[in-house]
Amino acid sequence: MNNHTQLAQIGVIGLGVMGKNLALNIADNNYKVAVFDLDNQKVSAALAQEQLERPQSKPARMHACNNLSEMLANLTSPRVIVLSIPAGAPVDGVCQGLIEAGIEQQDIVVDTGNSLWTDTVEREKQYKNNFKFFSSAVSGGEVGARFGPSLMPSGDASAWEFVAPIWQAIAAKVDPETGLPIERFEPGNPVTEGEPCTTYIGPAGSGHYVKMVHNGIEYADMQLICEAYQLLHDGLGMSAYDIGNVFKQWNQGSLNSYLMGISAEVLQQADPMTGKPLVEMILDKAGQKGTGLWTAVSSLQIGCPAPTIAEAVYARAVSTQKSLRKQLQHKLLGPSEAPLAEHDKASFIAQLEDALYCAKVCSYAQGFQLMAMTAKEQGWSLNFAEIAKIWRAGCIIRATFLQSITEAYQQDADIANLLMADSFSQSLSLKQGNWRKTVAASILSGIAIPCISSAVAYYDSYRSETLPANLLQGQRDFFGAHTFERIDKPAGEKYHVDWSHLQRALTKVN
Ligand code: 6PG
């Protein structure tokens, strides 16, 4: 491919599962794509798949490059090069390689990995004299990458102009009438109708930040479903298969989501080796790559309460400490009875469905508030209705529920917290009784449901005008002279009590 008419419109570096599928998706949408990977086998596999899936009447749309210089020589200008490589040092390694290969200032490098957003901010500055460092977080796993992911691009707006048509073509699509995904998983027959699940998020780093919070919500969503599974399994003694049926039924209602659907499938899968439910043969130690942790850290740093997301990260941490859990199982007493066994199964399942819904609303409320607070701090102007819209299809947390979030932000773009939206405050007010009953039953039966229960505390804290932080301020002033404000004096006026003297005089501090 060395004459001008055959130049590719986009390059993809890194042909792991995500990179290969993104490249195939781009090719399916009639773009010529140049590909490169250090591993020749991955290159051959991608080319072979493209050839296999392409109708014979169509010309090849994927071209392999032997090195970065060859890729640069085979792209139209400005070059658009997508990186699908592990986050961290490899991104800088490839960027340096591209500089050595002669990349030019107007060229665009799009990082699609799960990079730490602050690294993305730094990279845009670091490479600005060499090329435009752009980023676009991708959600949807391998199937999403192949047939329509949710894409969260950010960075130099002039770069977005060149990336946008390709991104709009390859993104997942939503039916504008119903807000539901239009799904077709057919090679060579991409979905071209509907609203694409991509929108320009904002300046450098904002797309990766939004994706990071997406993943924090994903952690909470997954853990909430796991807690429901444990209550039904250990509490009510239901089989994995039957729980799968409960999840399938929930998936028809307000809890409809991709994660609920796949959880039902996992629960109903038999282990090919033993014939038992596969889930019971899977070791209960959860892995993580860090994005949920980053979300929790960010919430702590900025002072945005996100306990349900943080508890989901802790739940993964405690799961990995299996040997300690094993020892403590025999050391720490739990309740003597198993009160869940006395519950009427159908009514407990109905209660749990409400509890799950309420906790889910809280975790999304936490995630969106976190994005809003960080956006304010960073000077980003994020459009939350658009963000909720592009999560309605393609991404891992896609759910019918996101349509209600979209509408809440369409009604009030500056809503401080989703709990303020009438649609959510009303449904939570209605369901909170069942939520509390579920948490009470779980505590009495000794089954930990950290996400569902922490969300109740979040809800109750936010509906309390007064909190015991008055006493806390008194404590701080007592041991550290940290001062306090008074309810009957102007905000910002600081007072201190001289706790060491009998008279304990109150002074106004300047
Ligand atoms: C997605 C996923 C994807 C991935 C993460 C989370 O949106 O497609 O979030 O990015 O699954 O890496 O993985 P961990 O659970 O390993 O942290």
Side-chain angles (χ1 to χ4, degrees), residues 18 114 138-142 152 211 214-215 218-219 222 287-292 316 394-397:
M18 292 298 283
N114 269 332
V138 178
S139 177
E142 53 184 296
M152 289 151 260
K211 172 61 180 13
H214 163 285
N215 279 27
E218 172 186 304
Y219 274 48
M222 293 168 81
Q288 56 179 313
K289 298 203 193 76
T291 45
R316 291 196 190 192
C395 71
I396 302 295
I397 64 168

